[in-house]
């Protein structure tokens, strides 16, 4: 999101500091359950993006799997490990099992998929999971050791009548098969066997959760016989415990659904002071227009949050802030959030 240079802001900067009026937008209102989980997932998302952006080729001939794992780490320039206990217990894969591959230049994520498929021909399908800043070759059951918990605030989406109607229509065609209900040993004494009352309609949140479990990694949810993912919902807030790969697929799915009817946007606006040197150090590691950069900046020990607020805007309608921050700093800006359906991003120019 573009921001104005320090000299053009209507805020008096501190001496030798760069004053940033930094809005960062969570169009889907995804809120992390805790700073630790947020950092770990952010690291995993950043690593996934780096792997996808790295083009490599893998040519091995009867090479021990342990060596192939090391080769992948060297090619991708990231830590790559193997969960040998899970691989041996679930797939009888050993360190010295040999594989041959000739994978031409392709994104790193495609190469990892190729390794999984080659191993699946003999041993069953393993999987690469992203655990913070490292990649781990493991199994479906083993992935349960690399889960993170995150909370997805979907209240704005579920309050949108048009989006909710689309969800209900989709649910009619893709209702997941519920797990078998437990049958009591004996019927309750006051049970009315002649009751033909129809079941109560599912809440919007429950409809949404069912769709997610049906279309995002359906074999992974513990409720349906999987090993690595759990999900619950209350009043439009969905809490998910799952590996980072599933979290990312959930995130992308919610983003696409939100893009169908992008009516509102949640804004977290902050006035942050940071020395120029510290700003340059952060800027070298992360794009300042990145939402992850903004989230981390607020929690950085070197930054001082002078003032912050949360607000909700409507796309293509002006929003404004007129407030006084500590130290009698007068904060005033206007903007009109606009949705870019091609890039799936929110544009927010400050004035």
């Amino acid at each position: 999101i573009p921001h104005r240079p320090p000299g053009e802001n209507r805020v008096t900067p501190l001496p030798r500091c760069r004053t940033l009026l930094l809005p960062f937008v969570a169009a889907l209102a995804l809120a992390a359950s805790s700073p630790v989980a947020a950092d770990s997932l952010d690291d995993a998302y950043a690593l996934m993006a780096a792997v996808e952006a790295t083009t490599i080729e893998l040519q091995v001939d009867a090479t021990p799997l342990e060596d192939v794992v090391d080769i992948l780490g060297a090619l991708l320039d990231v830590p790559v490990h193997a969960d040998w206990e899970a691989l041996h217990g679930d797939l009888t894969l050993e360190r010295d099992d040999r594989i041959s591959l000739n994978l031409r230049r392709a994104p790193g994520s495609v190469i990892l998929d190729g390794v999984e498929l080659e191993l699946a021909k003999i041993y069953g399908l393993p999987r690469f999971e992203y655990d913070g800043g490292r990649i781990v070759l493991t199994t479906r059951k083993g992935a349960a050791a690399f889960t993170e918990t995150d909370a997805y605030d979907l209240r704005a989406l579920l309050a949108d009548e048009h989006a909710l109607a689309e969800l209900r229509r989709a649910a009619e065609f893709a209702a997941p098969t519920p797990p078998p209900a437990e049958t009591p040993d004996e019927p309750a004494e006051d049970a009315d066997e002649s009751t033909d009352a129809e079941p109560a309609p599912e809440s919007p949140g429950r409809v949404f959760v069912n769709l997610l479990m049906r279309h995002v990694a359906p074999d992974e949810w513990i409720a349906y016989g999987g090993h690595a993912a759990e999900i619950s919902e209350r009043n439009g807030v969905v809490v998910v415990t799952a590996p980072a790969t599933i979290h990312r697929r959930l995130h992308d799915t919610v983003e696409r659904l939100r893009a169908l009817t992008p009516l509102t946007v949640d804004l977290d606006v902050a006035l942050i002071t940071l020395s120029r040197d510290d700003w340059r150090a952060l800027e070298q590691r992360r794009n300042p227009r990145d939402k992850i950069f903004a989230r981390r900046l607020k929690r950085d020990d070197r930054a001082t949050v002078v003032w912050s607020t949360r607000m909700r805007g409507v796309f293509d309608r002006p929003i404004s802030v007129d407030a006084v921050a500590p130290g009698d700093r007068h904060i005033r800006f206007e903007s009109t959030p606009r949705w870019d359906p091609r890039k799936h991003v929110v544009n927010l120019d400050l004035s």
Side-chain angles (χ1 to χ4, degrees):
I1 299 174
H3 57 79
R4 300 172 71 86
E8 297 181 22
N9 286 336
R10 302 182 186 180
V11 181
T12 302
L14 295 176
R16 298 182 60 80
C17 289
R18 182 171 186 171
T19 302
L20 305 173
L21 185 60
L22 208 131
F24 48 98
V25 180
L28 307 176
L30 301 182
S33 59
S34 68
V36 175
D39 285 344
S40 183
L41 279 175
D42 287 346
D43 290 341
Y45 294 156
L47 182 56
M48 291 180 203
V51 169
E52 290 171 354
T54 302
T55 300
I56 63 173
E57 62 180 35
L58 180 65
Q59 298 181 18
V60 293
D61 183 19
T63 303
L65 179 58
E66 184 174 27
D67 293 342
V68 173
V69 170
D70 292 338
I71 292 171
L72 287 171
L75 291 174
L76 295 171
D77 195 23
V78 299
V80 180
H81 303 279
D83 182 358
W84 296 113
E85 182 177 351
L87 292 170
H88 170 75
D90 298 336
L91 302 178
T92 66
L93 259 172
E94 305 293 349
R95 298 170 184 264
D96 56 356
D97 285 334
R98 298 176 179 272
I99 63 172
S100 298
L101 281 168
N102 185 13
L103 301 177
R104 298 297 181 180
R105 292 181 62 82
S109 56
V110 175
I111 300 297
L112 295 181
D113 290 343
V115 174
E116 291 179 357
L117 293 175
E118 182 64 24
L119 292 172
K121 293 178 181 178
I122 302 175
Y123 303 97
L125 185 63
R127 57 195 290 176
F128 285 99
E129 283 297 342
Y130 293 76
D131 180 37
R134 65 174 184 161
I135 302 174
V136 181
L137 178 64
T138 185
T139 64
R140 284 183 59 194
K141 290 182 180 180
F146 306 103
T147 60
E148 299 286 351
T149 300
D150 206 5
Y152 298 74
D153 187 347
L154 305 174
R155 288 171 292 185
L157 177 62
L158 297 178
D160 185 330
E161 293 296 334
H162 175 72
L164 187 55
E166 292 294 331
L167 288 176
R168 291 196 180 279
R169 277 196 288 271
E172 293 177 2
F173 295 98
T177 303
E182 294 184 1
T183 304
D185 295 334
E186 296 182 2
E189 294 181 359
D190 56 350
D192 185 359
E193 298 181 359
S194 63
T195 301
D196 295 327
E198 295 184 359
E202 290 183 321
S203 67
R206 189 67 244 175
V207 171
F208 194 88
V209 165
N210 285 345
L211 282 172
L212 290 179
M213 288 194 294
R214 178 72 174 183
H215 294 287
V216 179
D219 296 332
E220 303 294 341
W221 303 101
I222 292 175
Y224 301 121
H227 302 281
E230 293 186 274
I231 187 169
S232 60
E233 180 273 341
R234 184 176 179 83
N235 298 327
V237 177
V238 176
V239 178
V240 178
T241 299
T245 50
I246 295 179
H247 275 292
R248 188 183 186 188
R249 292 174 63 183
L250 284 171
H251 181 283
D252 292 345
T253 300
V254 173
E255 184 176 15
R256 291 188 180 96
L257 288 171
R258 187 66 184 87
L260 297 176
T261 54
L263 302 180
T264 63
V265 58
D266 290 334
L267 303 175
D268 194 348
V269 185
L271 174 66
I272 299 175
T273 58
L274 186 71
S275 71
R276 293 181 184 275
D277 291 341
D278 289 338
W279 168 265
R280 292 191 184 102
L282 291 172
E283 192 176 28
Q284 290 176 356
R285 297 200 301 267
R286 178 72 67 179
N287 184 352
R289 296 173 181 265
D290 194 331
K291 180 176 65 176
I292 296 176
F293 176 92
R295 183 188 299 166
R296 287 189 171 180
L297 179 59
K298 282 194 69 176
R299 297 198 300 265
D300 196 290
D301 293 337
R302 296 167 292 183
T304 301
V305 180
V306 178
W307 171 89
S308 65
T309 188
R310 290 191 174 189
M311 58 191 303
R312 176 167 294 176
V314 179
F315 285 103
D316 299 321
R317 295 184 186 178
I319 58 174
S320 62
V321 168
D322 193 343
V324 178
D328 292 330
R329 292 185 175 90
H330 194 184
I331 300 171
R332 181 187 297 117
F333 75 85
E334 294 182 354
S335 184
T336 301
R338 303 188 186 280
W339 177 253
D340 186 336
R342 184 175 63 85
K343 297 182 178 180
H344 283 195
V345 298
V346 178
N347 293 320
L348 188 69
D349 294 325
L350 300 180
S351 62

